Amino acid sequence: MENIKNSVEYIEQKIVPAGIKPELGIILGSGLGNFAAEIKGITIPYSEIPGFKPSTIKGHSGNLIIGEFYSKKILAMQGRLHFYEGYSLQDVIYPVRVMKFLGIKKIIITNAAGGINTAFTPGDFMIIEDHINLTGNNPLLGVNPDEIGPRFPDMSEPYNKNLIKLAEKTAKTLNINIKKGVYAGVTGPNYETPAEIRMFRMLGADAIGMSTVPEVIAARHAGLDTLGISFITNMAAGILNKNLCHQEVIDTAASVEDKLYAFLKEIIININ
Ligand code: HPA
């Protein structure tokens, strides 16, 4: 809590004089870097903020961008931390907790994911309806900070129904062929084996990725309403007769960036 207070104080000392009070948070997944350029406000590198850890992967810059986006006051995380980088899950979800104490009430969490559902195609967007925590870990382990949320938080509605409706309606308006489904969250960093993907499909997963689940658990614990959007960058292991590689994930993410930006922009404009 002490760290969170210091982080919040540092951020507020930058944004309050500028008259910015963010109400919506957004975590930008791989390939959404340019989104940040459209926010009129202040960029704060994670490395500058007391309590924040810098991101270690190339191509993931670590910045908070806080400002106005089509008349909405938002805070965007350009770059996130992943468990596979060696951080604790508490470090991974730390920025979500800081968002709560900045007064943020809603959060949009995006990610690149592998498609498990064979009706999906790379380039598709999936609204996350629910998730399965397959990380074998949990960011809420340990002493519960009661100021943040309850010891045993409810997870009956991990993804907010109204936000899901808004995302569906927005996709319809923009003629986006949207998918909905269950996101399986794993630690990575290796991609899965074909047998694992068959097992996850039997368990009810439609897409799989190495982020999001810990962040959503922390967001719900902290009382934030969550919208999760996956962009399917590849079919998961064993579905197509080819190997998986990070470059494919980056390339597909880049190819849908404009469409994803348009989708998120319209959602944000219509969120209330
Ligand atoms: N598996 C896990 N994480 C991922 C994948 C995948 O196939 N694609 C993008 N992130």
Side-chain angles (χ1 to χ4, degrees), residues 112-114 186 191-192 208-210 233-234 236 244 249:
V186 290
Y191 291 111
E192 301 69 37
I208 185 156
M210 305 174 193
T233 51
N234 58 283
L244 270 56
V249 171

Side-chain angles (χ1 to χ4, degrees), residues 145-200:
D146 294 328
E147 307 95 306
I148 300 177
R151 171 75 288 186
F152 300 108
D154 176 43
M155 286 288 152
S156 316
E157 195 180 328
Y159 300 84
N160 183 270
K161 290 205 166 67
N162 291 330
L163 293 176
I164 290 175
K165 268 193 213 135
L166 170 65
E168 281 186 288
K169 201 172 132 210
T170 306
K172 214 170 172 186
T173 314
L174 297 180
N175 254 322
I176 293 170
N177 172 16
I178 196 82
K179 306 291 200 291
K180 275 203 296 184
V182 173
Y183 175 94
V186 290
T187 65
N190 61 283
Y191 291 111
E192 301 69 37
T193 66
E196 286 165 348
I197 292 302
R198 287 195 298 275
M199 175 179 78
F200 297 150

Side-chain angles (χ1 to χ4, degrees), residues 123-138:
D124 277 348
F125 300 155
M126 183 186 90
I127 299 169
I128 308 178
E129 280 188 296
D130 204 343
H131 72 223
I132 306 175
N133 179 8
L134 292 165
T135 65
N137 207 321
N138 194 298

Side-chain angles (χ1 to χ4, degrees), residues 4-14 102:
I4 294 175
K5 281 187 188 129
N6 289 337
S7 297
V8 168
E9 213 169 273
Y10 185 84
I11 295 164
E12 281 184 338
Q13 156 228 315
K14 301 238 168 203
L102 285 168

